[in-house]
Amino acid sequence: MSRSRSASPDNVEDRLSRLRRKIEDFAADNRLDDKATRILMNTHPMDAKKVMGTPFPKDCRSTTAFVVSVIRKVENEAGRPQGYRWDGRSWSEPKPERRGGGGGGGGGGGGG
């Protein structure tokens, strides 16, 4: 009998635990401060993976500043609002929020 992975609440906890462990290891390996580590913990998992996969420049003077700037860049590219905090539940890519105001060229007009 096979188990459905997505339906198991334990699986969500396991995934979260593994993600946090990866982030903690990344932070320790790169000597990030607590602030950068907390920001990374609160990013969407897809964003965190992109950030952790970004190579550091050879002449990086501050790994913390570099990581925070990469976090902001990745969040911006994903269309996330400034100050976005992951809810800890949704693992799939959320729909990007619409930017700007006003209605764009909507459809609607019926011709006949």
Side-chain angles (χ1 to χ4, degrees):
M1 180 173 189
S2 66
R3 282 178 38 186
S4 171
R5 290 181 169 262
S6 62
S8 170
D10 292 333
N11 189 47
V12 172
E13 292 299 318
D14 289 346
R15 288 178 76 182
L16 185 57
S17 179
R18 280 194 309 270
L19 175 66
R20 295 210 183 282
R21 203 167 32 252
K22 284 180 184 178
I23 291 172
E24 288 167 357
D25 290 345
F26 176 79
D29 291 347
N30 294 293
R31 296 185 301 266
L32 301 182
D33 68 10
D34 290 340
K35 178 183 175 189
T37 304
R38 281 193 312 271
I39 293 170
L40 196 52
M41 291 275 192
N42 286 313
T43 61
H44 191 278
M46 291 184 160
D47 295 348
K49 289 176 185 174
K50 287 178 187 175
V51 170
M52 292 187 291
T54 303
F56 285 82
K58 289 182 171 96
D59 61 345
C60 187
R61 292 185 297 182
S62 171
T63 55
T64 292
F66 177 75
V67 167
V68 171
S69 71
V70 172
I71 291 168
R72 299 300 178 227
K73 179 179 179 241
V74 168
E75 287 180 335
N76 190 4
E77 289 172 352
R80 307 213 197 290
Q82 187 170 353
Y84 173 84
R85 288 179 63 110
W86 178 52
D87 63 9
R89 294 183 306 237
S90 59
W91 289 80
S92 59
E93 181 66 44
K95 293 180 181 175
E97 293 198 10
R98 293 182 147 287
R99 292 187 169 210

